[in-house]
Amino acid sequence: MRKERTFAMIKPDAVQRGFIGEIISRFEKKGIKIVAMKLVAVDRNLAEKHYEVHKGKPFFEPTIQYITSSPVVAMVLEGFNVIEMVRAMTGATNPQNAAMGTIRGDFGQFIGRNIIHASDGKDTASFEINLWFSPQEIAQYSRIDEQWLTE
Ligand code: CMP
């Protein structure tokens, strides 16, 4: 397994509903390392860049409105196979289809209010990390439990 990084964003609905701690806690308990994190009032420019692959789709404008409506918590997560692992913890894009036990399955109801975003692949992760964070904002450190997480 490769050590990699992914980008995750706790969306405005989850921040407003008080789920920041719950969501971060799930990543911490899984042993995933948080290497960067910040609360961001997202402007239209950043939102459009983040969702540029969806430009022209019917949900593009409502999604921009949603993401810019209230602050989000952006983070970079690090670990072995972390891109796939975080996607699994996040659940299906539509909370109606997301399994119970996943973040969207447990806390969401509507696709337009789906709690969290997580990068869907290696290229997306790299694009999103560079879009949201400067290299100086990403910390390199060891967690004391690392030797107990790996074989
Ligand atoms: P996210 O994983 O951040 O990627 C695209 C986002 O667009 C998605 O989560 C939802 O917040 C939003 N969205 C709204 N409607 C749709 C839709 N019909 N299909 C996909 N994404 C949608």
Side-chain angles (χ1 to χ4, degrees), residues 11 50-51 54 59 63 66 87 93 104 111-112 114 116-118:
K11 293 183 176 181
H50 178 80
Y51 283 120
H54 297 299
F59 61 83
T63 301
Y66 163 43
R87 290 283 290 184
T93 305
R104 287 169 174 155
I111 195 164
N114 67 348
I116 186 163
H117 167 86

Tab-separated table of all heavy atoms in Angstrom, residues 11 50-51 54 59 63 66 87 93 104 111-112 114 116-118, ligand 1:
chain	number	residue	atom	x	y	z
A	11	LYS	N	-18.693	20.440	4.654
A	11	LYS	CA	-19.474	21.449	3.934
A	11	LYS	C	-20.322	22.320	4.874
A	11	LYS	O	-20.493	21.984	6.059
A	11	LYS	CB	-20.348	20.738	2.895
A	11	LYS	CG	-19.533	20.092	1.779
A	11	LYS	CD	-20.430	19.461	0.729
A	11	LYS	CE	-19.615	18.903	-0.416
A	11	LYS	NZ	-20.480	18.306	-1.452
A	50	HIS	N	-12.968	24.831	-7.727
A	50	HIS	CA	-13.100	23.510	-7.108
A	50	HIS	C	-14.062	22.620	-7.908
A	50	HIS	O	-13.819	21.428	-8.070
A	50	HIS	CB	-13.586	23.654	-5.663
A	50	HIS	CG	-13.796	22.350	-4.966
A	50	HIS	ND1	-12.760	21.627	-4.419
A	50	HIS	CD2	-14.921	21.612	-4.764
A	50	HIS	CE1	-13.239	20.508	-3.897
A	50	HIS	NE2	-14.545	20.472	-4.094
A	51	TYR	N	-15.163	23.220	-8.376
A	51	TYR	CA	-16.185	22.436	-9.081
A	51	TYR	C	-16.128	22.614	-10.597
A	51	TYR	O	-17.129	22.372	-11.283
A	51	TYR	CB	-17.577	22.789	-8.543
A	51	TYR	CG	-17.856	22.138	-7.195
A	51	TYR	CD1	-18.140	22.912	-6.066
A	51	TYR	CD2	-17.828	20.751	-7.038
A	51	TYR	CE1	-18.377	22.311	-4.822
A	51	TYR	CE2	-18.058	20.150	-5.809
A	51	TYR	CZ	-18.339	20.932	-4.723
A	51	TYR	OH	-18.579	20.324	-3.504
A	54	HIS	N	-17.678	20.286	-13.112
A	54	HIS	CA	-19.146	20.201	-13.171
A	54	HIS	C	-19.782	21.409	-13.865
A	54	HIS	O	-21.004	21.522	-13.914
A	54	HIS	CB	-19.726	20.067	-11.758
A	54	HIS	CG	-19.298	18.803	-11.062
A	54	HIS	ND1	-19.587	17.555	-11.551
A	54	HIS	CD2	-18.574	18.604	-9.931
A	54	HIS	CE1	-19.077	16.625	-10.743
A	54	HIS	NE2	-18.447	17.241	-9.758
A	59	PHE	N	-26.682	21.067	-11.738
A	59	PHE	CA	-26.475	21.288	-10.307
A	59	PHE	C	-25.290	22.209	-10.005
A	59	PHE	O	-24.997	22.467	-8.844
A	59	PHE	CB	-26.327	19.952	-9.569
A	59	PHE	CG	-25.154	19.101	-9.996
A	59	PHE	CD1	-23.880	19.317	-9.477
A	59	PHE	CD2	-25.324	18.078	-10.922
A	59	PHE	CE1	-22.804	18.531	-9.861
A	59	PHE	CE2	-24.248	17.283	-11.327
A	59	PHE	CZ	-22.987	17.520	-10.801
A	63	THR	N	-24.827	24.230	-6.436
A	63	THR	CA	-23.696	23.741	-5.633
A	63	THR	C	-22.766	24.896	-5.249
A	63	THR	O	-22.279	24.957	-4.116
A	63	THR	CB	-22.932	22.631	-6.398
A	63	THR	OG1	-23.853	21.566	-6.660
A	63	THR	CG2	-21.770	22.084	-5.598
A	66	TYR	N	-24.454	26.807	-2.491
A	66	TYR	CA	-24.381	26.018	-1.249
A	66	TYR	C	-23.002	26.154	-0.597
A	66	TYR	O	-22.886	26.483	0.596
A	66	TYR	CB	-24.696	24.568	-1.643
A	66	TYR	CG	-24.350	23.429	-0.722
A	66	TYR	CD1	-24.572	23.479	0.656
A	66	TYR	CD2	-23.842	22.236	-1.267
A	66	TYR	CE1	-24.267	22.378	1.457
A	66	TYR	CE2	-23.551	21.144	-0.466
A	66	TYR	CZ	-23.756	21.225	0.896
A	66	TYR	OH	-23.464	20.138	1.691
A	87	ARG	N	-12.989	8.031	0.926
A	87	ARG	CA	-14.207	7.921	0.096
A	87	ARG	C	-15.161	6.878	0.696
A	87	ARG	O	-16.368	7.070	0.722
A	87	ARG	CB	-13.853	7.499	-1.336
A	87	ARG	CG	-13.135	8.561	-2.125
A	87	ARG	CD	-14.022	9.649	-2.637
A	87	ARG	NE	-14.909	9.217	-3.695
A	87	ARG	CZ	-15.724	10.040	-4.330
A	87	ARG	NH1	-15.794	11.321	-3.997
A	87	ARG	NH2	-16.504	9.601	-5.283
A	93	THR	N	-22.303	9.671	-3.016
A	93	THR	CA	-22.553	11.112	-3.174
A	93	THR	C	-23.949	11.487	-2.707
A	93	THR	O	-24.139	12.498	-2.028
A	93	THR	CB	-22.374	11.519	-4.662
A	93	THR	OG1	-21.076	11.106	-5.080
A	93	THR	CG2	-22.511	13.015	-4.848
A	104	ARG	N	-22.064	10.390	5.170
A	104	ARG	CA	-23.287	10.860	4.494
A	104	ARG	C	-24.492	10.000	4.859
A	104	ARG	O	-25.605	10.506	4.993
A	104	ARG	CB	-23.072	10.871	2.981
A	104	ARG	CG	-22.151	11.997	2.513
A	104	ARG	CD	-21.782	11.780	1.064
A	104	ARG	NE	-21.016	12.874	0.495
A	104	ARG	CZ	-20.192	12.727	-0.538
A	104	ARG	NH1	-20.048	11.534	-1.102
A	104	ARG	NH2	-19.529	13.756	-1.018
A	111	ILE	N	-28.883	15.106	-1.836
A	111	ILE	CA	-27.625	15.212	-2.584
A	111	ILE	C	-27.076	16.640	-2.577
A	111	ILE	O	-25.870	16.847	-2.562
A	111	ILE	CB	-27.792	14.660	-4.034
A	111	ILE	CG1	-26.422	14.418	-4.670
A	111	ILE	CG2	-28.663	15.566	-4.889
A	111	ILE	CD1	-26.428	13.563	-5.897
A	112	GLY	N	-27.957	17.606	-2.542
A	112	GLY	CA	-27.538	19.011	-2.523
A	112	GLY	C	-27.123	19.491	-1.138
A	112	GLY	O	-26.760	20.662	-0.957
A	114	ASN	N	-24.897	17.360	1.104
A	114	ASN	CA	-24.332	16.027	1.382
A	114	ASN	C	-23.117	16.034	2.325
A	114	ASN	O	-22.236	15.185	2.228
A	114	ASN	CB	-24.070	15.262	0.079
A	114	ASN	CG	-22.983	15.869	-0.759
A	114	ASN	OD1	-22.557	16.986	-0.501
A	114	ASN	ND2	-22.524	15.146	-1.762
A	116	ILE	N	-20.181	16.441	3.222
A	116	ILE	CA	-18.712	16.400	3.086
A	116	ILE	C	-18.312	16.157	1.637
A	116	ILE	O	-19.072	15.540	0.868
A	116	ILE	CB	-18.119	15.312	4.028
A	116	ILE	CG1	-16.590	15.340	4.024
A	116	ILE	CG2	-18.665	13.912	3.684
A	116	ILE	CD1	-15.948	14.620	5.200
A	117	HIS	N	-17.147	16.651	1.292
A	117	HIS	CA	-16.542	16.347	-0.008
A	117	HIS	C	-15.226	15.624	0.243
A	117	HIS	O	-14.512	15.951	1.190
A	117	HIS	CB	-16.258	17.641	-0.786
A	117	HIS	CG	-15.368	17.429	-1.962
A	117	HIS	ND1	-15.836	17.050	-3.204
A	117	HIS	CD2	-14.022	17.506	-2.076
A	117	HIS	CE1	-14.811	16.901	-4.021
A	117	HIS	NE2	-13.701	17.176	-3.363
A	118	ALA	N	-14.906	14.654	-0.603
A	118	ALA	CA	-13.583	14.016	-0.534
A	118	ALA	C	-13.113	13.741	-1.961
A	118	ALA	O	-13.916	13.361	-2.824
A	118	ALA	CB	-13.657	12.709	0.252
B	1	CMP	P1	-19.266	16.481	-4.128
B	1	CMP	O1	-18.712	15.163	-3.721
B	1	CMP	O2	-18.703	17.689	-3.436
B	1	CMP	O3	-19.121	16.681	-5.728
B	1	CMP	C1	-20.047	17.415	-6.504
B	1	CMP	C2	-21.153	18.001	-5.697
B	1	CMP	O4	-22.242	18.553	-6.396
B	1	CMP	C3	-21.746	16.890	-4.867
B	1	CMP	O5	-20.846	16.474	-3.868
B	1	CMP	C4	-23.033	17.556	-4.370
B	1	CMP	O6	-22.786	18.420	-3.264
B	1	CMP	C5	-23.405	18.440	-5.558
B	1	CMP	N1	-24.535	17.898	-6.324
B	1	CMP	C6	-25.771	18.393	-6.319
B	1	CMP	N2	-26.567	17.708	-7.155
B	1	CMP	C7	-25.813	16.733	-7.711
B	1	CMP	C8	-26.057	15.673	-8.648
B	1	CMP	N3	-27.256	15.507	-9.189
B	1	CMP	N4	-25.041	14.845	-8.963
B	1	CMP	C9	-23.809	15.012	-8.433
B	1	CMP	N5	-23.523	15.998	-7.536
B	1	CMP	C10	-24.510	16.851	-7.179
